[in-house]
Amino acid sequence: MSVLFEPYTLRSLTIPNRIWMAPMCQYSAAPEGPEAGVAHDWHFAHYAARAAGGTGLILLEATAVSPEGRISPYDLGIWNDHQTETLRRITDFLKSQGTTPGIQIAHSGRKGSTDRPWKGGAPVGPGAHGWQPSGPSPVAFADGHPVPIELTTDEIQEIVGQFADAARRALEAGFEVVEVHGAHGYLIGEFLSHHSNRRTDAYGGSFENRTRFALEVVDAVRAVWPDHLPLFFRISATDWLEDNGWTADDTVRFAALLKEHGVDLLDVSTGGNASGVRIPTAPGYQVPFAARVKNETTLPVAAVGLITEPEHAEKILANDEADAILLGRELLRNPYWAQHAARGLGGDVHVPDQYHRSSALR
């Protein structure tokens, strides 16, 4: 059998194949009022289609642990009971299709309070449902972005608690995987990097101090997340800066610590913490970073980044460069990527009974 279609077990959870959906914000929730951050028909239809298409694991988009933790006012949230209840409709359907439901919990930090990408993605103020962002240090993400308010140690601890509350709600909503978002220049990633973290207290300076907040979040989440279910962590393996940024060496070192703190898989991406950086993109350009973690630590990894062809995905797994493949934009283009890949590689994947007559797999 194709490796891409082999089940994968973490703790007591078995995911039916190695084709997973990466978190991708939809910017489609209400920005304020009782429906703020609530999943609606768009979210259901979006994720349901990928489950019907045979995707083994779906990680819901960055879901904010607080109103101020959203990237845009239109992001999903998981800070109240109403949000939690509406997410169960999605998890129930994903499970009915044999897909493992996962969710990424997140805080945007200094990159929060921005408009939807198709509206330009610029920072927005209170008049457009926005707020004043916060971060580890008063360092703006880019020209034209506000200088964030530096978080106090008490505020940091409050956010740690918000991540734990979000994980508890995720379990109530029926998710079986929770992923802590530590990538792409959002709050946890901001603490990790010298580029954005200029603190001189226990949360800045040394590697140990800069990773402290991330590990406190992981510990708090792991304390409320059941032992039999896996915990993921998403990381930007490099800031793509020549100096004064987070590096691949840092990632390998940190991965070993994450494993010690109960993380079961590292979702390896790159970039997002520095503006104007030139990134040498090409098919699979981020795979070598995942491969380093896999080869130099005992922590399983998922690879992501311009992986579009089934044969390429299969080769990554066969070469032991990753344990699973996370697809992003390719699944936006083709919700049935897994079924098409199965035809080409001779794999077996879930096809809904209602679509039985259209399938060459049965």
Side-chain angles (χ1 to χ4, degrees):
M1 180 186 288
S2 161
V3 183
L4 197 58
F5 296 94
E6 290 181 355
Y8 191 65
T9 299
L10 290 165
R11 298 193 181 239
S12 67
L13 180 70
T14 297
I15 301 166
N17 59 52
R18 315 292 182 97
I19 301 167
W20 300 354
M21 183 176 178
M24 290 174 286
C25 289
Q26 296 299 291
Y27 308 102
S28 298
E32 61 182 12
E35 297 300 301
V38 170
H40 290 293
D41 286 349
W42 173 264
H43 302 94
F44 179 83
H46 171 64
Y47 292 113
R50 278 80 195 164
T55 306
L57 165 70
I58 290 177
L59 286 168
L60 262 66
E61 61 203 81
T63 305
V65 301
S66 70
E68 299 77 21
R70 293 173 292 177
I71 300 167
S72 85
Y74 304 92
D75 287 356
L76 288 185
I78 192 166
W79 65 79
N80 66 42
D81 290 341
H82 184 34
Q83 295 162 343
T84 305
E85 291 163 3
T86 60
L87 289 168
R88 181 167 283 281
R89 180 187 178 206
I90 296 174
T91 61
D92 284 348
F93 185 83
L94 266 55
K95 290 175 184 177
S96 78
Q97 301 303 301
T99 296
T100 300
I103 187 170
Q104 183 185 75
I105 54 176
H107 193 296
S108 59
R110 67 177 183 164
K111 292 177 72 176
S113 192
T114 58
D115 206 347
R116 292 162 289 190
W118 56 87
K119 295 289 188 179
V124 295
H129 314 296
W131 58 91
Q132 174 64 48
S134 59
S137 301
V139 179
F141 169 66
D143 291 343
H145 283 246
V147 175
I149 298 171
E150 181 171 302
L151 291 166
T152 67
T153 54
D154 287 344
E155 289 169 335
I156 291 170
Q157 290 307 303
E158 181 180 358
I159 294 171
V160 171
Q162 290 169 348
F163 271 95
D165 289 342
R168 189 181 298 108
R169 291 182 184 279
L171 184 65
E172 294 172 2
F175 291 98
E176 296 177 314
V177 172
V178 66
E179 176 174 272
V180 173
H181 195 356
H184 302 156
Y186 299 117
L187 186 62
I188 293 176
E190 293 165 16
F191 271 88
L192 294 177
S193 176
H194 278 301
H195 179 73
S196 45
N197 184 348
R198 313 290 174 82
R199 300 176 74 98
T200 58
D201 63 1
Y203 290 95
S206 68
F207 175 89
E208 291 77 13
N209 285 355
R210 286 181 287 110
T211 58
R212 188 182 307 279
F213 173 55
L215 293 177
E216 287 180 348
V217 168
V218 166
D219 288 344
V221 169
R222 186 76 264 182
V224 301
W225 194 244
D227 287 342
H228 68 279
L229 294 178
L231 167 62
F232 292 6
F233 190 97
R234 187 166 226 195
I235 196 164
S236 285
T238 177
D239 286 338
W240 295 103
L241 296 170
E242 293 183 3
D243 53 22
N244 200 38
W246 185 260
T247 69
D249 289 341
D250 291 329
T251 296
V252 171
R253 182 180 176 187
F254 187 46
L257 286 175
L258 290 171
K259 178 68 181 278
E260 292 175 6
H261 285 255
V263 169
D264 299 289
L265 181 138
L266 192 66
D267 171 357
V268 183
S269 187
T270 65
N273 193 40
S275 65
V277 177
R278 298 186 64 180
I279 299 175
T281 58
Y285 72 103
Q286 296 177 141
V287 173
F289 298 96
R292 271 202 64 184
V293 174
K294 182 166 176 58
N295 293 329
E296 297 180 32
T297 76
T298 59
L299 187 63
V301 298
V304 67
L306 291 182
I307 302 168
T308 61
E309 300 299 325
E311 294 78 10
H312 185 197
E314 176 76 11
K315 183 178 179 181
I316 291 166
L317 298 179
N319 289 346
D320 207 29
E321 295 175 290
D323 299 284
I325 303 297
L326 280 160
L327 299 177
R329 281 169 283 187
E330 191 62 20
L331 274 176
L332 296 184
R333 289 185 282 265
N334 180 6
Y336 298 93
W337 192 95
Q339 292 181 15
H340 296 161
R343 292 189 184 100
L345 296 175
D348 187 21
V349 69
H350 169 76
V351 177
D353 291 336
Q354 295 89 335
Y355 294 171
H356 176 87
R357 77 191 92 174
S358 71
S359 174
L361 302 179
R362 296 183 180 180

